[in-house]
Amino acid sequence: QGILNLGTTENKLCFDLIEERLTRPDMNYLEPNLFQYSDTQGIRSFREEIAKFLTDYARAAEALNPEHITVMNGCCAVFATLSTVLCDPGDGYLIPAPYYGGINSKTWLYGGIQPVHVPLFSEVTDEESHPFQLTVEKLEAALQRAKKQGIRVRALILINPHNPLGDIYPAQLLRECLEFAHRYELHVIMDEIYMLSVYDDTTFTSVLSLDCLPDPERTHFMWGFSKDFGMSGIRVGVLYTRNHEIQKAVNQLAVFHSCPGPVQHVLSQFLRDRDWLDNVFFPTNKKRLKEAQNILVDGLADVGIPVLKSSGGLYVWADFRKFLRSQTFEAELELWQKLLDEKLLISPGKAFYCYEPGWFRLVFSDSVDKILLCKWVFHIYTAEPVTNNTSSTADALCNPEKNSSGKPSDTPEKDSS
């Protein structure tokens, strides 16, 4: 009776907890100022709660200043306004590919700036430890290619934990990327919207936790309530920047992207209830994410589909290459359409500007019942593997010291959805 959607990154696993918390008396408190025009930067008391929350949960090196915070109606608005302020039309920003493709429209609509891909591949070279690994050398190569093409690169965008890979940047790599950006006077936009959606024992390092940033005036942090709190419909994103001039310019645009006063009040109550966050919501959310991820990964393994090892986010990055008729993006689209015809929606790699056909992102944070239905669809309808010259083995993905194949057969088009 409809489409089984494993494509939209929404966390629906803990709505019961949120619903219960919303029924408590402190959520029903209303006062006149919540219904009046408020500071377009965000209500001061709300920004104070955000500053305290991020200081603690991002393990910030120093207490965050509420005056450096701007609240907007979603991280899409943060991307749009920040890109407009940082760049001129025609400028470029470096971004490792694959990546969340929605960034393109957000940065283009207002700012008219273009992505400069840093291609990542599944093949593991001698200098790398795992597939799709980012290195400073790859950043350097992409920057030099852009210069030869006459593109002025003004910023570097990093998503951590990564979407769609589910990868978490080690602290050392994070520092190296920041040093690289500093050398070339690039702004760094750190998108950490999945910061608390980490379900393994992997240590997550927020950029806020690093002391002695190479270029604090050009380092800008983003976070929101959509993923970590399972509130994608509440539409609240956060920008933290120490650069006064940039924040002043962003605030001129924030008037078009403000959040309702009652919403800010409700979210303040969530943030200040540390007992509920620490003992109920976050541990339960982490447990349910891990259980759901295990069910999906095991189900994919049953039909011979390996996934990239991941520790964060609401999805897995799965290798369907051996099910392609040929190693092309046309064949990837055919497989995507075949699954959609059987009422299963997953996201093809081309939507994330992946340079290798055959990779798909599957979201596991909806419900266990839907994951089990997904497993059934794969068992019944997935085509038999076809013979091709691309090796795609679970060993290659789960044991990074072994090479996994994956030279790109062609390049993604400039725009895809």
Side-chain angles (χ1 to χ4, degrees), residues 46-206:
F46 183 39
R47 288 187 282 117
E48 288 174 349
E49 289 301 329
I50 292 172
K52 294 174 187 175
F53 175 83
L54 291 176
T55 296
D56 293 341
Y57 288 86
R59 298 181 177 86
E62 59 184 41
L64 271 63
N65 185 344
E67 292 304 315
H68 296 162
I69 290 174
T70 300
V71 178
M72 288 184 245
N73 58 346
C75 284
C76 295
V78 177
F79 264 124
T81 56
L82 192 57
S83 63
T84 305
V85 168
L86 296 181
C87 306
D88 293 322
D91 287 347
Y93 57 90
L94 290 176
I95 187 165
Y99 63 94
Y100 166 57
I103 290 176
N104 283 17
S105 61
K106 312 307 181 296
T107 53
W108 177 260
L109 185 62
Y110 279 11
I113 62 176
Q114 57 184 312
V116 174
H117 292 172
V118 182
L120 307 180
F121 300 102
S122 63
E123 181 180 4
V124 180
T125 66
D126 294 338
E127 295 79 25
E128 298 168 358
S129 61
H130 60 272
F132 296 102
Q133 184 172 344
L134 176 64
T135 65
V136 172
E137 289 73 22
K138 294 175 184 178
L139 292 173
E140 184 78 49
L143 180 64
Q144 297 308 320
R145 283 196 300 270
K147 286 183 176 180
K148 291 179 180 178
Q149 295 168 6
I151 301 172
R152 182 175 66 163
V153 176
R154 298 295 298 274
L156 166 65
I157 295 179
L158 296 176
I159 308 170
N160 186 33
H162 194 272
N163 181 10
L165 302 178
D167 199 13
I168 293 175
Y169 291 133
Q172 180 59 32
L173 175 60
L174 199 54
R175 290 184 182 276
E176 290 173 1
C177 292
L178 293 173
E179 291 285 357
F180 163 83
H182 180 47
R183 284 198 303 273
Y184 291 101
E185 298 184 345
L186 303 179
H187 290 271
V188 178
I189 302 174
M190 287 298 312
D191 177 358
E192 297 188 14
I193 197 167
Y194 295 99
M195 176 181 73
L196 300 175
S197 299
V198 176
Y199 44 81
D200 272 343
D201 294 329
T202 305
T203 300
F204 172 75
T205 302
S206 170

Side-chain angles (χ1 to χ4, degrees), residues 215-283:
D215 199 344
E217 289 285 307
R218 290 192 179 94
T219 305
H220 317 290
F221 165 91
M222 292 172 50
W223 178 79
F225 289 80
S226 297
K227 314 302 182 182
D228 291 340
F229 277 85
M231 298 179 181
S232 52
I234 210 77
R235 307 309 303 138
V236 175
V238 175
L239 168 66
Y240 186 82
T241 178
R242 302 186 203 177
N243 190 311
H244 175 71
E245 293 302 316
I246 287 174
Q247 187 182 38
K248 182 179 176 181
V250 164
N251 289 344
Q252 296 296 308
L253 294 169
V255 67
F256 304 113
H257 300 283
S258 57
C259 304
V263 169
Q264 297 186 53
H265 167 75
V266 166
L267 295 179
S268 294
Q269 301 308 107
F270 276 109
L271 295 183
R272 72 168 51 101
D273 190 351
R274 298 304 180 85
D275 180 65
W276 181 78
L277 291 177
D278 294 339
N279 298 310
V280 179
F281 183 76
F282 284 136

Side-chain angles (χ1 to χ4, degrees), residues 174-411:
L174 199 54
R175 290 184 182 276
E176 290 173 1
C177 292
L178 293 173
E179 291 285 357
F180 163 83
H182 180 47
R183 284 198 303 273
Y184 291 101
E185 298 184 345
L186 303 179
H187 290 271
V188 178
I189 302 174
M190 287 298 312
D191 177 358
E192 297 188 14
I193 197 167
Y194 295 99
M195 176 181 73
L196 300 175
S197 299
V198 176
Y199 44 81
D200 272 343
D201 294 329
T202 305
T203 300
F204 172 75
T205 302
S206 170
V207 71
L208 297 177
S209 70
L210 301 177
D211 53 3
C212 301
L213 289 175
D215 199 344
E217 289 285 307
R218 290 192 179 94
T219 305
H220 317 290
F221 165 91
M222 292 172 50
W223 178 79
F225 289 80
S226 297
K227 314 302 182 182
D228 291 340
F229 277 85
M231 298 179 181
S232 52
I234 210 77
R235 307 309 303 138
V236 175
V238 175
L239 168 66
Y240 186 82
T241 178
R242 302 186 203 177
N243 190 311
H244 175 71
E245 293 302 316
I246 287 174
Q247 187 182 38
K248 182 179 176 181
V250 164
N251 289 344
Q252 296 296 308
L253 294 169
V255 67
F256 304 113
H257 300 283
S258 57
C259 304
V263 169
Q264 297 186 53
H265 167 75
V266 166
L267 295 179
S268 294
Q269 301 308 107
F270 276 109
L271 295 183
R272 72 168 51 101
D273 190 351
R274 298 304 180 85
D275 180 65
W276 181 78
L277 291 177
D278 294 339
N279 298 310
V280 179
F281 183 76
F282 284 136
T284 305
N285 186 51
K286 181 177 180 178
K287 178 175 179 289
R288 292 179 182 179
L289 283 174
K290 183 58 181 174
E291 289 173 349
Q293 195 245 19
N294 284 342
I295 294 171
L296 180 57
V297 170
D298 291 345
L300 292 172
D302 287 345
V303 291
I305 302 171
V307 303
L308 194 70
K309 280 190 173 182
S310 61
S311 302
L314 311 177
Y315 36 75
V316 295
W317 188 238
D319 184 359
F320 284 72
R321 286 180 291 175
K322 69 181 180 182
F323 294 101
L324 299 186
R325 174 182 51 79
S326 62
Q327 293 303 305
T328 63
F329 286 102
E330 289 75 18
E332 178 183 276
L333 184 61
E334 287 177 12
L335 177 58
W336 175 82
Q337 185 63 58
K338 179 177 181 179
L339 293 171
L340 187 59
D341 290 342
E342 303 303 336
K343 308 301 184 183
L344 176 61
L345 174 63
I346 61 177
S347 303
K350 190 171 183 180
F352 302 95
Y353 301 94
C354 184
Y355 278 65
E356 298 177 19
W359 292 86
F360 287 76
R361 191 193 72 176
L362 290 80
V363 176
F364 56 77
S365 57
D366 192 314
S367 73
V368 172
D369 288 343
K370 288 187 178 181
I371 296 173
L372 295 175
L373 278 175
C374 171
K375 290 171 61 175
W376 177 79
V377 171
F378 283 131
H379 274 289
I380 302 299
Y381 295 107
T382 302
E384 289 296 321
V386 296
T387 303
N388 58 63
N389 58 5
T390 300
S391 169
S392 173
T393 66
D395 283 346
L397 293 171
C398 297
N399 299 294
E401 66 273 12
K402 298 180 181 180
N403 282 345
S404 65
S405 69
K407 289 294 184 184
S409 58
D410 57 26
T411 301

Side-chain angles (χ1 to χ4, degrees), residues 33-36 38 43 259-266:
N33 71 291
L34 295 178
F35 293 88
Q36 298 165 1
S38 63
I43 296 173
C259 304
V263 169
Q264 297 186 53
H265 167 75
V266 166

